[in-house]
Amino acid sequence: MKELLGVIDASENHIQLKEITKNRSIAAVPIGSRYRIIDFALSNMVNSGIQDVGIITQNHYNSLLTHLGPGKDWDLNRKRGGLFIFPPYGGSDSQGWYRGSVDALHSIMRFIRRSEQEYVLVSGTYMVFSFTYHDVLKYHIDNEADITILYKEKKGMTPDEFKQNTLIKVNDCGRVVDMEINPSLPRFNNIYMNTFIIGKDLLDYLLDECQSRGESDFVKDILLRKLSSLKIYGYKFNGYLACINSINAYYRYNMDLLNSDIREELFIKSGPVHTRVMDVVPAMYSENACVKNCIVADGCIIDGNVENSILFRGVKIYKGAKIKNSIIMQDSEVHENAILENVILDKEVIIRRSKNLIGQEIYPVVISKGAVI
Amino acid sequence: MKELLGVIDASENHIQLKEITKNRSIAAVPIGSRYRIIDFALSNMVNSGIQDVGIITQNHYNSLLTHLGPGKDWDLNRKRGGLFIFPPYGGSDSQGWYRGSVDALHSIMRFIRRSEQEYVLVSGTYMVFSFTYHDVLKYHIDNEADITILYKEKKGMTPDEFKQNTLIKVNDCGRVVDMEINPSLPRFNNIYMNTFIIGKDLLDYLLDECQSRGESDFVKDILLRKLSSLKIYGYKFNGYLACINSINAYYRYNMDLLNSDIREELFIKSGPVHTRVMDVVPAMYSENACVKNCIVADGCIIDGNVENSILFRGVKIYKGAKIKNSIIMQDSEVHENAILENVILDKEVIIRRSKNLIGQEIYPVVISKGAVI
Amino acid sequence: MSKKECIAMLLAGGQGNRLGLLTKNLAKPAVPFGGKYRIIDFTLSNCTNSGIDTVGVLTQYRPLKLNSYIGNGQPWDLDRLDGGVYVLPPYMKGKVGEWYKGTANAISQNIEFIEQFNPKYILVLSGDHIYKMDYSKMIEYHREKHADATIAVIETKLEDANRFGIMNTDKDNRIYEFEEKPKNPKSNKASMGIYVFNWNTLKNYLIADDKNAKSEHDFGKNIIPQMLSNGMVIYAYKFKGYWKDVGTLQSLYQSNMDLLEFPPIFDLYDPTWKIYGRNQGLPPHYIAPSADVKRAIVSEGSSIYGTVRHSIISTGVFIDKSSIIKNSIIMPYARIGKNTLIEDSIIAEKVTIGNNCTIGRRPDGKARQIELTLIGENAKIPDSTVVEKGMEIDSVMLQDIYDLYQNDAKEAKAL
Amino acid sequence: MSKKECIAMLLAGGQGNRLGLLTKNLAKPAVPFGGKYRIIDFTLSNCTNSGIDTVGVLTQYRPLKLNSYIGNGQPWDLDRLDGGVYVLPPYMKGKVGEWYKGTANAISQNIEFIEQFNPKYILVLSGDHIYKMDYSKMIEYHREKHADATIAVIETKLEDANRFGIMNTDKDNRIYEFEEKPKNPKSNKASMGIYVFNWNTLKNYLIADDKNAKSEHDFGKNIIPQMLSNGMVIYAYKFKGYWKDVGTLQSLYQSNMDLLEFPPIFDLYDPTWKIYGRNQGLPPHYIAPSADVKRAIVSEGSSIYGTVRHSIISTGVFIDKSSIIKNSIIMPYARIGKNTLIEDSIIAEKVTIGNNCTIGRRPDGKARQIELTLIGENAKIPDSTVVEKGMEIDSVMLQDIYDLYQNDAKEAKAL
């Protein structure tokens, strides 16, 4: 896909997951035992054969920078092209914090203009799915579209998720004919996936026009306004979509990964999900381990009981500990006879002997990074 | 040199070279046909076998980031350790722009503390020299010194250079007994080279103490004050030193490179000076070329006359052009019959046919990047 | 290229006959180990962790997978600008080429390669040992002793000493005699096959040895004895810690099982001495509600629906419901069907085992030395197959068995 | 490993006899070219620039320097996680090993390597051609034509066609006949030795060819004619642009000299098609006040105090005062003394030439075909030596000459 430049807008600081996003952006939030949320958006591009990817970051970008490094693990540390990370204030075009997606994109317009590609694929990170974009680009070109946006039918999603999203109406030809932004009671059937393809020159023109009017939101100030004047097409995505825009959604979608079909679709079908390689040993199960329905990363040492849970790298579960319906992030430890249920432990948390933490499925308890309880 | 952590403080924005530092830090200023000033400080560390290097940057760090990339060209793109670049606001410890060297170092103290090394070598960039630090570290340890600073006898240097520098007095045992900062008429004989070795824990303590008193300058607020309470030793450097703290010094020291002995010392004796590899073809001399006493980088095409000059990569000199005593940076072009004398052209300058630019040796004409004249 | 203090030469040429079918299509150092590693990972990681950034891997037997596995050396941080890892096969000089004739000859044929780096010391390593060792300390010892050569030794039980090359040393650990598998060992210091040499000294011995038609061109049998008889200064460097030569199926199996001991005999969890390997980019492993996993190592990308006891489950393995894996090593990407029992077995890479099979069942009530069963790479074992204890089976044999069966069937019909 | 659309196999095995002493210690693709390159840089850069990220380099002759030069592939951006560049020597399978017997056999011995990547197409390249070509366009053409094989051809003068493998095609460029060096060529389409094959098809032909004891196992002589006779669809892909087989000393010299043409016949200055090579990290070159350099290519790290005319000066070369270099190639790190004349010569790597020498002087007033003089790698030419036109000299010969001289002197004394 030499024609497609990838851009990931990871400056989405309107998405907050309680303590989990206190010191990291949503893009850097750990998910699925060994990944970060951005791994999906980035791997989708790499698996589509996209060779140049720019990532726009905003506040708390440190953990994201550490995670991405020079892009080796995505094979994007190339001599020409590869991975470009834009910290705020980085581009000489930028004038401070981004008010919205238009500011964010505009700040890297020089990078986009200089690229060799004709089209730009822009994606966010908090919509998690695995997909390759060959067909979308073909669809875009065949339709002679100005913009092609990805959408999925909303069925199966909860009202919570609509509130922070855009719903669209698509006619029989695939043209997007109407949109509603963050509705409480949506009239339309399709959720916009924060991902679109656009010609480089058109993007340049639209961003400039929008900025010159003092506006800053790509969906509200560009897509919605231009529905009739531009040919905006919708590409229907039929796969699995996780929209991680709240702590509940985060919890629920992690638990989804215990379903083998969903794992198959996310991790295998569209190619591997690349992530930072940590060189950790395989997981070790002791004589006392009792593990049921869990996904477990390398480096775990399990001497206790774990059920319906997600264990990240290097987690230690001591003898007699009982863990149920929980997410335990990297290097956390649950000591002897502690009981956890419906809990999210951030990284490097220590739960001392015989402590209990019980949350509810619709209100999981969240423990901040490094806490000792 | 597994015991030594390298830190380059490239936040030196008190050093300004007219238009040349308008959009780049002094560390990123081009020098010697194919280098940037920071290449020397960084290569010194790499050639000393230092494996982890942190670089502190401040404003205009974009060209520096592009130049360094992930550190491949210095073999510092390692799995563990290697090159760490700290943009301002990058560390969660930092609270804004650095007031001075203490702020700069303090902002990366977490990085320093976490390192495996026992000692830290801190260096600036605008003092250009080629050296390896094995003997300095041995000297530091043998003396049981608290801090060891590098100095060179001032003879041969001009009064201009003292004004922005520190001069020191060293006793027979090598102890630094007095210092004077930016003197107009110096009483001491030795110039401090902005480079020192210190124990990691001591550095931590001193920075914290200094910051807690609201002070910010490492030389004035730490070195000078602690002359008696700490064992501060001077290590005498006997090699070639270029102190690039003004446009005149910049011009003069570039011209120094036409001296073969100086080139031998800078580029060969202490190991190669690594820089960004650009994959440019060798230089091409036409039938009409007449070149005398010049250093010329790859990628130049020379069809005219050049004397006593420094040509950077990709420079084009057309037929009949006459260039003398000048520095022509990357991708600049001098068209037919133009005449340049005592001129510094920044990158991508175009001098049209038959234009003349004549400066003076002590006042070279400087043309900004991208200018067309 | 700049001068290097020390470069390592890793002998990875052996065919590894004693690993049976495992090395039929695979160089020994590329054999999987410990769930997600290959044998060579340990030596390469030791090099990186010891600060040795230039490693020549000498290989002539089926190096393809090894070559691809090593690739650009990035997983071991050996993708260096100046140095890094090089796979060194035999090559033609002028009109003739010759294969490596012994460990010493393999180094000797690569004198030119080594000279490029102009090293002071050379570290000779084997590609089939499992251990963690800081070579920089051994080199430091070698330097301090002003030795011409230093040999790493491990203290064995005296009764085992007759299976090793034994170093007889003076009080200062200087070696005065070397005995290959002595009947009456005078010492328990066994050579680990790890040598440091002053390169200039070794080079001369290699050149001389090459001209000696009677020599087997082997370090232990020829070079070291020759150096000793010339009065060269050779020291023994005592190594303490876990070390295992995994040159036989039995020792490979045992060394894998050692990883399951708790507290560990051989600890891979030390963050200051990571073992690096090529990562496959697989998702985390999944333990199903029907699974029962105890005393096991389980690697990324596997899915377990059955029972696992005291076993190593490698990357990408699938174990279906109601199956039982006991005291076994399941190598990468093997797939085990439903209701199958596997005991005391090594199941090689990409093997498929059907439903209702029994592989290597241990006779009831008898506790004696484990007799291993081995299913070779890519073999497809049909449903309801019984593989008896101690057998070694690969896909070609399976075809033979099948043909035989067809023949029998034909003949039966003909009758 | 993931499936690759196309992988490249680069034939770099040849000894390159016709490059004389230049390849005495060096594989042909590692011979320096154009000041800072080596011959193989052009093909590897073409691969990278064409988006082909997996390249096998088949080599068996003195691959050390080539191996070190290629290293981890980083200079050509071929240090990929999955793919990249692999040096592929012959290897042992079971007890036996065999050297590559021909171009086709070299590929055939690496079927297993290729299968790992499961490619749809395979691009077969030579390691000793100088050209810039976008292989992705050729593959696209191959795909559009639904061809089984596609061969790149260049149109030569009809009178030269008898020195090439000539493709006779129909109007659509489909090849119906292949003639090796025909006396009466029917076409001027010469094979460039660049092939695209459907891998599955080629594999079958390779396996069949290997079993044919009469075959020379060569693409041009055996595989292509066999495919044609079986009615396979083979197309010719016309290449326009600079292309030179630098398999002889004369053509290597000429191709270097072509770089000095202005406007360039072969343009290396195109930023969209960079030629990559391993960078030596040398300082810029220096032209002294006493120097006079015209019509020359001068590379990093050299210092010129003398006169250079119509010559290639490579990296790290030193040319002292009052010396004159004319119509010559001075390869990396050569050092030329004072007051020395070099004409129509190739001075190989690391040669040292003393003061007051005359190398390859052209007889006055005679303008005819250039007869080259070659000084081989590492040779040290003493002061005041005269090397006559057309000679090839290396350090070993110099020793012989010296011994001879000593003998003569002794005999003279004895008399």
Side-chain angles (χ1 to χ4, degrees), chain B residues 314-350:
Chain B
V315 163
K316 289 190 184 56
I317 310 294
Y318 288 79
K319 200 169 165 180
K322 284 194 169 56
I323 293 163
K324 213 172 149 180
N325 307 330
S326 294
I327 299 171
I328 317 288
M329 291 193 206
Q330 198 176 320
D331 294 331
S332 283
E333 304 180 4
V334 182
H335 288 191
E336 285 83 352
N337 302 316
I339 297 180
L340 305 182
E341 213 169 300
N342 299 313
V343 168
I344 301 175
L345 301 189
D346 204 323
K347 288 168 72 172
E348 295 158 25
V349 168
I350 295 176

CSV table of all heavy atoms in Angstrom, one decimal, chain B residues 314-350:
chain,number,residue,atom,x,y,z
B,314,GLY,N,26.1,17.9,-1.1
B,314,GLY,CA,25.1,18.3,-2.2
B,314,GLY,C,25.2,19.7,-2.7
B,314,GLY,O,24.3,20.2,-3.3
B,315,VAL,N,26.4,20.4,-2.4
B,315,VAL,CA,26.5,21.7,-2.9
B,315,VAL,C,26.8,21.7,-4.4
B,315,VAL,O,27.6,20.8,-4.9
B,315,VAL,CB,27.7,22.4,-2.1
B,315,VAL,CG1,28.2,23.7,-2.8
B,315,VAL,CG2,27.2,22.8,-0.7
B,316,LYS,N,26.3,22.7,-5.1
B,316,LYS,CA,26.5,22.8,-6.6
B,316,LYS,C,27.2,24.1,-6.9
B,316,LYS,O,26.7,25.2,-6.6
B,316,LYS,CB,25.2,22.6,-7.3
B,316,LYS,CG,24.7,21.3,-7.3
B,316,LYS,CD,23.5,21.1,-8.3
B,316,LYS,CE,22.9,19.7,-8.2
B,316,LYS,NZ,22.4,19.4,-6.8
B,317,ILE,N,28.4,24.0,-7.5
B,317,ILE,CA,29.1,25.2,-7.9
B,317,ILE,C,29.1,25.3,-9.4
B,317,ILE,O,29.7,24.4,-10.0
B,317,ILE,CB,30.5,25.2,-7.3
B,317,ILE,CG1,30.5,24.9,-5.8
B,317,ILE,CG2,31.2,26.6,-7.7
B,317,ILE,CD1,29.9,26.0,-5.0
B,318,TYR,N,28.5,26.3,-10.0
B,318,TYR,CA,28.4,26.3,-11.5
B,318,TYR,C,29.6,26.9,-12.1
B,318,TYR,O,30.4,27.6,-11.4
B,318,TYR,CB,27.1,27.0,-11.9
B,318,TYR,CG,25.9,26.2,-11.6
B,318,TYR,CD1,25.3,26.2,-10.3
B,318,TYR,CD2,25.2,25.5,-12.6
B,318,TYR,CE1,24.2,25.4,-10.0
B,318,TYR,CE2,24.1,24.8,-12.3
B,318,TYR,CZ,23.6,24.7,-11.0
B,318,TYR,OH,22.5,24.0,-10.8
B,319,LYS,N,29.7,26.8,-13.4
B,319,LYS,CA,30.8,27.2,-14.2
B,319,LYS,C,31.1,28.7,-14.0
B,319,LYS,O,30.2,29.5,-14.0
B,319,LYS,CB,30.5,27.0,-15.7
B,319,LYS,CG,31.7,27.0,-16.6
B,319,LYS,CD,31.3,26.4,-17.9
B,319,LYS,CE,32.3,26.7,-19.0
B,319,LYS,NZ,31.9,26.2,-20.3
B,320,GLY,N,32.3,29.1,-13.8
B,320,GLY,CA,32.7,30.5,-13.7
B,320,GLY,C,32.5,31.1,-12.3
B,320,GLY,O,32.9,32.2,-12.0
B,321,ALA,N,31.7,30.4,-11.4
B,321,ALA,CA,31.6,30.9,-10.1
B,321,ALA,C,32.9,30.9,-9.4
B,321,ALA,O,33.8,30.0,-9.6
B,321,ALA,CB,30.6,30.1,-9.3
B,322,LYS,N,33.1,31.9,-8.5
B,322,LYS,CA,34.4,32.0,-7.8
B,322,LYS,C,34.1,32.1,-6.3
B,322,LYS,O,33.5,33.1,-5.8
B,322,LYS,CB,35.2,33.2,-8.2
B,322,LYS,CG,35.8,33.1,-9.6
B,322,LYS,CD,36.9,34.2,-9.8
B,322,LYS,CE,37.7,33.9,-11.0
B,322,LYS,NZ,36.9,33.7,-12.2
B,323,ILE,N,34.6,31.1,-5.5
B,323,ILE,CA,34.3,31.1,-4.1
B,323,ILE,C,35.6,31.1,-3.3
B,323,ILE,O,36.5,30.3,-3.7
B,323,ILE,CB,33.4,29.9,-3.8
B,323,ILE,CG1,32.1,30.1,-4.4
B,323,ILE,CG2,33.3,29.7,-2.3
B,323,ILE,CD1,31.3,28.8,-4.6
B,324,LYS,N,35.7,31.9,-2.3
B,324,LYS,CA,36.9,32.0,-1.6
B,324,LYS,C,36.6,32.2,-0.1
B,324,LYS,O,35.7,32.9,0.3
B,324,LYS,CB,37.7,33.3,-2.1
B,324,LYS,CG,39.2,33.1,-2.0
B,324,LYS,CD,39.8,34.3,-2.7
B,324,LYS,CE,41.2,34.6,-2.1
B,324,LYS,NZ,41.8,35.7,-2.7
B,325,ASN,N,37.3,31.5,0.8
B,325,ASN,CA,37.2,31.7,2.2
B,325,ASN,C,35.8,31.6,2.7
B,325,ASN,O,35.4,32.4,3.5
B,325,ASN,CB,37.8,33.0,2.6
B,325,ASN,CG,39.2,33.2,2.1
B,325,ASN,OD1,40.0,32.3,2.0
B,325,ASN,ND2,39.6,34.5,1.9
B,326,SER,N,35.0,30.6,2.2
B,326,SER,CA,33.6,30.6,2.5
B,326,SER,C,33.2,29.2,3.0
B,326,SER,O,33.9,28.2,2.9
B,326,SER,CB,32.8,30.9,1.3
B,326,SER,OG,33.0,32.3,0.9
B,327,ILE,N,32.0,29.2,3.7
B,327,ILE,CA,31.4,28.0,4.2
B,327,ILE,C,30.1,27.9,3.4
B,327,ILE,O,29.2,28.7,3.6
B,327,ILE,CB,31.2,28.1,5.7
B,327,ILE,CG1,32.5,28.3,6.4
B,327,ILE,CG2,30.4,26.8,6.2
B,327,ILE,CD1,32.4,28.6,7.9
B,328,ILE,N,29.9,26.8,2.7
B,328,ILE,CA,28.7,26.6,1.9
B,328,ILE,C,28.0,25.4,2.5
B,328,ILE,O,28.5,24.3,2.3
B,328,ILE,CB,29.0,26.4,0.4
B,328,ILE,CG1,30.0,27.4,-0.1
B,328,ILE,CG2,27.7,26.5,-0.4
B,328,ILE,CD1,29.6,28.8,-0.2
B,329,MET,N,26.8,25.6,3.1
B,329,MET,CA,26.2,24.4,3.7
B,329,MET,C,25.3,23.6,2.7
B,329,MET,O,25.1,24.0,1.6
B,329,MET,CB,25.3,24.9,4.9
B,329,MET,CG,26.1,25.4,6.0
B,329,MET,SD,25.1,25.6,7.5
B,329,MET,CE,26.0,26.9,8.3
B,330,GLN,N,24.8,22.5,3.2
B,330,GLN,CA,24.1,21.5,2.4
B,330,GLN,C,23.1,22.0,1.4
B,330,GLN,O,22.3,22.8,1.7
B,330,GLN,CB,23.4,20.6,3.4
B,330,GLN,CG,23.0,19.2,2.8
B,330,GLN,CD,22.4,18.4,3.9
B,330,GLN,OE1,22.9,18.4,5.1
B,330,GLN,NE2,21.4,17.6,3.6
B,331,ASP,N,23.3,21.5,0.2
B,331,ASP,CA,22.3,21.7,-0.9
B,331,ASP,C,22.3,23.1,-1.4
B,331,ASP,O,21.3,23.5,-2.1
B,331,ASP,CB,20.9,21.2,-0.5
B,331,ASP,CG,20.9,19.7,-0.4
B,331,ASP,OD1,21.7,19.0,-1.0
B,331,ASP,OD2,20.1,19.1,0.4
B,332,SER,N,23.2,24.0,-1.0
B,332,SER,CA,23.2,25.3,-1.5
B,332,SER,C,23.8,25.3,-2.9
B,332,SER,O,24.5,24.4,-3.3
B,332,SER,CB,24.0,26.3,-0.6
B,332,SER,OG,23.3,26.6,0.5
B,333,GLU,N,23.4,26.3,-3.7
B,333,GLU,CA,23.9,26.4,-5.1
B,333,GLU,C,24.5,27.7,-5.4
B,333,GLU,O,23.9,28.8,-5.0
B,333,GLU,CB,22.7,26.1,-6.1
B,333,GLU,CG,22.0,24.8,-5.8
B,333,GLU,CD,20.9,24.5,-6.8
B,333,GLU,OE1,20.7,25.4,-7.7
B,333,GLU,OE2,20.2,23.5,-6.7
B,334,VAL,N,25.6,27.8,-6.1
B,334,VAL,CA,26.2,29.0,-6.5
B,334,VAL,C,26.2,29.0,-8.0
B,334,VAL,O,26.9,28.2,-8.6
B,334,VAL,CB,27.6,29.2,-5.9
B,334,VAL,CG1,28.1,30.6,-6.3
B,334,VAL,CG2,27.5,29.1,-4.4
B,335,HIS,N,25.4,29.9,-8.6
B,335,HIS,CA,25.3,29.8,-10.1
B,335,HIS,C,26.4,30.5,-10.8
B,335,HIS,O,27.3,31.1,-10.3
B,335,HIS,CB,23.9,30.3,-10.5
B,335,HIS,CG,22.8,29.4,-10.0
B,335,HIS,ND1,21.5,29.5,-10.4
B,335,HIS,CD2,22.8,28.3,-9.2
B,335,HIS,CE1,20.8,28.6,-9.9
B,335,HIS,NE2,21.5,27.8,-9.1
B,336,GLU,N,26.3,30.4,-12.2
B,336,GLU,CA,27.4,30.9,-13.0
B,336,GLU,C,27.9,32.3,-12.7
B,336,GLU,O,27.1,33.2,-12.5
B,336,GLU,CB,26.9,30.9,-14.5
B,336,GLU,CG,26.8,29.6,-15.2
B,336,GLU,CD,25.4,28.9,-14.8
B,336,GLU,OE1,24.7,29.4,-14.0
B,336,GLU,OE2,25.1,27.8,-15.4
B,337,ASN,N,29.2,32.4,-12.6
B,337,ASN,CA,29.9,33.6,-12.5
B,337,ASN,C,29.6,34.4,-11.2
B,337,ASN,O,30.0,35.6,-11.1
B,337,ASN,CB,29.6,34.5,-13.7
B,337,ASN,CG,30.1,33.8,-15.0
B,337,ASN,OD1,31.1,33.2,-15.0
B,337,ASN,ND2,29.2,33.9,-16.0
B,338,ALA,N,28.9,33.8,-10.2
B,338,ALA,CA,28.7,34.5,-9.0
B,338,ALA,C,30.1,34.5,-8.2
B,338,ALA,O,30.9,33.7,-8.4
B,338,ALA,CB,27.7,33.8,-8.1
B,339,ILE,N,30.3,35.5,-7.4
B,339,ILE,CA,31.5,35.6,-6.6
B,339,ILE,C,31.2,35.7,-5.1
B,339,ILE,O,30.4,36.5,-4.7
B,339,ILE,CB,32.3,36.9,-7.0
B,339,ILE,CG1,32.7,36.7,-8.5
B,339,ILE,CG2,33.5,37.0,-6.2
B,339,ILE,CD1,33.5,37.9,-9.1
B,340,LEU,N,31.8,34.8,-4.3
B,340,LEU,CA,31.6,34.8,-2.9
B,340,LEU,C,32.9,34.9,-2.2
B,340,LEU,O,33.8,34.1,-2.6
B,340,LEU,CB,30.9,33.5,-2.4
B,340,LEU,CG,29.5,33.2,-3.0
B,340,LEU,CD1,29.0,31.9,-2.3
B,340,LEU,CD2,28.5,34.3,-2.9
B,341,GLU,N,33.0,35.7,-1.2
B,341,GLU,CA,34.3,35.8,-0.4
B,341,GLU,C,33.9,36.0,1.0
B,341,GLU,O,33.1,36.9,1.3
B,341,GLU,CB,35.1,36.9,-1.0
B,341,GLU,CG,36.6,36.7,-0.9
B,341,GLU,CD,37.4,37.7,-1.7
B,341,GLU,OE1,37.1,37.8,-3.0
B,341,GLU,OE2,38.2,38.4,-1.1
B,342,ASN,N,34.5,35.3,1.9
B,342,ASN,CA,34.2,35.4,3.3
B,342,ASN,C,32.7,35.4,3.6
B,342,ASN,O,32.1,36.2,4.2
B,342,ASN,CB,34.8,36.7,3.9
B,342,ASN,CG,36.3,36.7,3.8
B,342,ASN,OD1,37.0,35.8,4.1
B,342,ASN,ND2,36.8,37.8,3.2
B,343,VAL,N,32.1,34.3,3.1
B,343,VAL,CA,30.6,34.2,3.2
B,343,VAL,C,30.2,32.9,3.9
B,343,VAL,O,31.0,31.9,3.7
B,343,VAL,CB,30.0,34.3,1.8
B,343,VAL,CG1,28.5,33.9,1.8
B,343,VAL,CG2,30.2,35.7,1.2
B,344,ILE,N,29.2,32.9,4.7
B,344,ILE,CA,28.6,31.7,5.2
B,344,ILE,C,27.2,31.5,4.6
B,344,ILE,O,26.3,32.4,4.8
B,344,ILE,CB,28.5,31.7,6.7
B,344,ILE,CG1,29.9,31.9,7.3
B,344,ILE,CG2,27.9,30.4,7.2
B,344,ILE,CD1,29.9,32.0,8.8
B,345,LEU,N,27.0,30.5,3.8
B,345,LEU,CA,25.7,30.2,3.2
B,345,LEU,C,25.1,29.1,4.1
B,345,LEU,O,25.6,28.0,4.2
B,345,LEU,CB,25.7,29.8,1.8
B,345,LEU,CG,26.3,30.7,0.7
B,345,LEU,CD1,26.0,30.1,-0.7
B,345,LEU,CD2,25.8,32.1,0.8
B,346,ASP,N,23.9,29.3,4.7
B,346,ASP,CA,23.2,28.3,5.4
B,346,ASP,C,22.7,27.3,4.3
B,346,ASP,O,22.9,27.4,3.1
B,346,ASP,CB,22.1,28.9,6.2
B,346,ASP,CG,21.7,28.0,7.4
B,346,ASP,OD1,21.7,26.8,7.2
B,346,ASP,OD2,21.4,28.5,8.5
B,347,LYS,N,21.9,26.3,4.8
B,347,LYS,CA,21.4,25.2,3.9
B,347,LYS,C,20.5,25.8,2.8
B,347,LYS,O,19.8,26.8,3.0
B,347,LYS,CB,20.7,24.2,4.7
B,347,LYS,CG,21.6,23.3,5.5
B,347,LYS,CD,20.8,22.4,6.5
B,347,LYS,CE,20.0,21.3,5.8
B,347,LYS,NZ,19.4,20.4,6.8
B,348,GLU,N,20.5,25.2,1.7
B,348,GLU,CA,19.5,25.4,0.6
B,348,GLU,C,19.5,26.9,0.1
B,348,GLU,O,18.4,27.3,-0.3
B,348,GLU,CB,18.1,24.9,1.0
B,348,GLU,CG,18.1,23.4,1.2
B,348,GLU,CD,17.0,23.0,2.1
B,348,GLU,OE1,16.0,23.7,2.3
B,348,GLU,OE2,17.2,21.9,2.8
B,349,VAL,N,20.6,27.6,0.2
B,349,VAL,CA,20.6,28.9,-0.3
B,349,VAL,C,20.9,28.8,-1.8
B,349,VAL,O,21.6,27.9,-2.3
B,349,VAL,CB,21.7,29.7,0.4
B,349,VAL,CG1,22.0,31.0,-0.3
B,349,VAL,CG2,21.3,30.0,1.8
B,350,ILE,N,20.3,29.7,-2.6
B,350,ILE,CA,20.7,29.8,-4.0
B,350,ILE,C,21.3,31.2,-4.3
B,350,ILE,O,20.6,32.2,-4.0
B,350,ILE,CB,19.5,29.6,-4.9
B,350,ILE,CG1,19.0,28.1,-4.7
B,350,ILE,CG2,19.8,29.8,-6.4
B,350,ILE,CD1,17.7,27.8,-5.4
